[in-house]
Amino acid sequence: MRLAYSVLLYLCSPIVVLRLLLHGRKSPAYLSRWGERFGWYKKTQPSGVIWFHTVSVGEAEAAFPLINIVAEQQPNTPILVTTITPTGSARVKAFLGHRVHHVYLPYDTPGAMRRFYRKFKPHVAVILETEIWPNMFYQAKKLGIPSLIVNARMSEKSAKGYARLGSLMKQTLADITHICAQNQRSADRFIGLGLDKSKVTVPGNIKFDMELPAHLLEHAEVIRRDWFQQRPSWMAASTHEGEEDKVLVAFEQIKKQRTDALLVLVPRHPERFNDVAKLCEKRGFTVTRRTAQKSQRVDSDVFLLDTLGELKLYYATVDVAFIGGSFVPVGGHNMLEAAALSVPALFGPFVHNFAEISERLLAIDAAIQVTTADELATQVTYLLEHSEQRDQMGVAGRAFVEQNQGAVNKVASHIVRLLNGC
């Protein structure tokens, strides 16, 4: 099965190149560093690394505390972080800078993966969440390199899809040294797909252990006071195509009740910033872009956060947050960031990527689930007008995050044990 899979990948190579070209039309970063995507790297890259792989921004953000702990405990070993997207690459470079090395992970063809392992000679492979690539894990096992999937999640939908791969999935799971699952549901689904029970543990979700920058709250208060003029404000965070329409329909209704309301709008993908700004203006809203802001005061209807790395800061400036990726079947994005900052979280019906967390937030009244733009408008308006309810939800959310921290240290200890051959 792995041979057939590999042949199919080679046959699909022209389609892969076409996709890069199409992505490059809106995001030019996709047009550079193609060699890395096929396993060709500069001669100056390190070898004998501790390797972390994160797909994009969300996984990279979650991995930063883990990478920092491992780097502190292994100061003489170079750290390599790979991503797939340019936004993930930019975030790694901005946050970790010279402390780590970064390249793109190559496509999962046998040749590209052999070149990757030959170049970097990793002591251990630490893969975030659900990156299950057959040749990547096969080469690691063949070379005697321990591989670990951390913060692993497996939704019911994903499990059904992987089950269709039959023996290919079972062999790939057999090649993995260990899996640290986010929760027991995911662990059980991995076992159901053929993973040996002895190769999975449940240390928890490392996204609870996020690092909040020093003075973040003080900085946020200055923005809220001086820029936003203490206006009632809400955020639509990490939105996808098709969601902004619903958000803006809701905002039109909110403005009828609260004419001074401000929407902080944060599209998930940078290549969509311009399109979203035009959509807001087409709807009749005035827009201030973060990158074009010239005055201290924001008088517009919409504040478009068109930068990377400032989401946590701006969560702390608003009264309510809607978490994107949940009005479209993406599966939702990280609602714990809002909860950690005592901000009530709202999300749509599609939250399968955060099924357990969303259920638990709803159970403790720290979040509200909505299904339509009308419901979103109603709930946001209510919360903007009832500070006591906001405060209760915020306190519950923050306590939930704090009570579930600690997974990062457990996972870091497991990585160190693998490095020491234990």
Side-chain angles (χ1 to χ4, degrees):
M1 278 296 290
R2 193 174 58 79
L3 176 60
Y5 161 80
S6 299
V7 170
L8 181 61
L9 281 185
Y10 280 121
L11 292 175
C12 289
S13 294
I15 298 174
V16 168
V17 172
L18 179 60
R19 284 194 66 194
L20 287 174
L21 290 170
L22 291 174
H23 280 305
R25 294 176 63 182
K26 286 193 173 182
S27 179
Y30 277 100
L31 300 178
S32 63
R33 298 166 61 188
W34 278 20
E36 295 180 13
R37 296 188 182 275
F38 293 93
W40 301 103
Y41 299 97
K42 295 179 180 178
K43 294 181 180 180
T44 54
Q45 298 290 354
S47 65
V49 302
I50 298 172
W51 167 38
F52 292 86
H53 174 62
T54 68
V55 181
S56 190
V57 174
E59 294 81 5
E61 292 272 1
F64 290 159
L66 177 62
I67 293 170
N68 281 332
I69 290 175
V70 173
E72 289 172 4
Q73 294 182 6
Q74 305 288 320
N76 298 320
T77 307
I79 304 289
L80 174 70
V81 181
T82 59
T83 62
I84 289 177
T85 68
T87 51
S89 172
R91 196 70 193 103
V92 167
K93 291 178 179 178
F95 189 85
L96 297 174
H98 65 279
R99 287 174 290 173
V100 305
H101 302 269
H102 172 270
V103 296
Y104 287 129
L105 182 73
Y107 296 117
D108 196 44
T109 61
M113 279 299 165
R114 280 196 296 269
R115 288 190 291 273
F116 174 83
Y117 281 104
R118 191 162 56 237
K119 180 66 180 177
F120 295 102
K121 297 180 175 60
H123 294 306
V124 64
V126 183
I127 313 301
L128 268 289
E129 299 205 357
T130 50
E131 287 290 281
I132 304 174
W133 296 107
N135 285 315
M136 178 175 72
F137 287 113
Y138 170 77
Q139 289 294 330
K141 185 174 183 180
K142 182 180 178 181
L143 295 168
I145 298 167
S147 59
L148 179 68
I149 301 183
V150 306
N151 220 40
R153 59 180 171 86
M154 179 65 67
S155 68
E156 184 178 359
K157 180 181 178 181
S158 295
K160 290 179 180 178
Y162 281 120
R164 297 190 189 101
L165 298 177
S167 61
L168 177 62
M169 185 62 182
K170 291 180 180 179
Q171 182 56 56
T172 302
L173 290 175
D175 290 338
I176 298 169
T177 305
H178 196 82
I179 290 179
C180 292
Q182 290 185 8
N183 51 54
Q184 192 60 48
R185 290 182 191 176
S186 290
D188 290 342
R189 287 173 185 142
F190 277 109
I191 293 168
L193 289 169
L195 181 70
D196 189 313
K197 290 182 180 180
S198 66
K199 296 172 68 173
V200 61
T201 51
V202 187
N205 192 330
I206 67 173
K207 289 186 176 179
F208 283 101
D209 294 273
M210 69 193 76
E211 294 179 343
L212 298 177
H215 309 301
L216 180 143
L217 294 178
E218 292 87 344
H219 190 184
E221 183 55 35
V222 170
I223 293 173
R224 184 175 178 83
R225 184 190 66 229
D226 297 343
W227 293 11
F228 295 170
Q229 304 294 303
Q230 303 286 7
R231 293 165 62 186
S233 56
W234 68 294
M235 174 186 284
S238 298
T239 55
H240 290 253
E241 186 172 2
E243 287 190 300
E244 291 91 4
D245 285 302
K246 294 181 179 180
V247 166
L248 294 175
V249 166
F251 193 35
E252 288 171 351
Q253 297 180 41
I254 293 166
K255 293 284 278 185
K256 292 176 182 177
Q257 302 296 321
R258 298 301 303 259
T259 57
D260 57 343
L262 171 70
L263 167 62
V264 178
L265 185 53
V266 193
R268 179 71 173 180
H269 299 115
E271 60 267 25
R272 298 189 59 246
F273 288 157
N274 291 335
D275 290 341
V276 173
K278 291 175 183 176
L279 177 63
C280 292
E281 291 167 348
K282 184 178 179 180
R283 288 275 189 176
F285 295 113
T286 54
V287 180
T288 298
R289 297 181 64 149
R290 171 73 175 92
T291 54
Q293 185 183 4
K294 296 181 180 178
S295 66
Q296 288 288 316
R297 181 169 174 169
V298 176
D299 295 316
S300 59
D301 302 310
V302 177
F303 183 80
L304 183 66
L305 186 59
D306 56 349
T307 57
L308 293 176
E310 293 190 304
L311 183 58
K312 290 189 184 75
L313 170 62
Y314 280 88
Y315 267 129
T317 69
V318 298
D319 299 305
V320 184
F322 168 76
I323 312 302
S326 61
F327 260 159
V328 292
V330 168
H333 291 298
N334 188 4
M335 49 206 70
L336 294 176
E337 292 176 329
L341 291 161
S342 304
V343 178
L346 285 76
F347 43 79
F350 300 103
V351 288
H352 50 266
N353 289 340
F354 291 84
E356 183 179 34
I357 287 174
S358 61
E359 289 173 8
R360 294 173 69 184
L361 285 172
L362 290 170
I364 61 172
D365 295 323
I368 298 172
Q369 190 165 32
V370 296
T371 58
T372 65
D374 289 344
E375 289 182 17
L376 177 61
T378 299
Q379 295 296 342
V380 170
T381 301
Y382 178 83
L383 290 172
L384 289 179
E385 293 178 343
H386 294 82
S387 60
E388 183 177 341
Q389 180 67 22
R390 292 201 311 269
D391 291 343
Q392 290 175 359
M393 293 178 68
V395 169
R398 183 166 184 174
F400 172 68
V401 172
E402 292 174 349
Q403 291 163 6
N404 287 278
Q405 291 176 339
V408 160
N409 287 325
K410 296 176 184 177
V411 173
S413 296
H414 199 106
I415 293 170
V416 172
R417 287 198 298 272
L418 286 179
L419 286 168
N420 294 333
C422 300

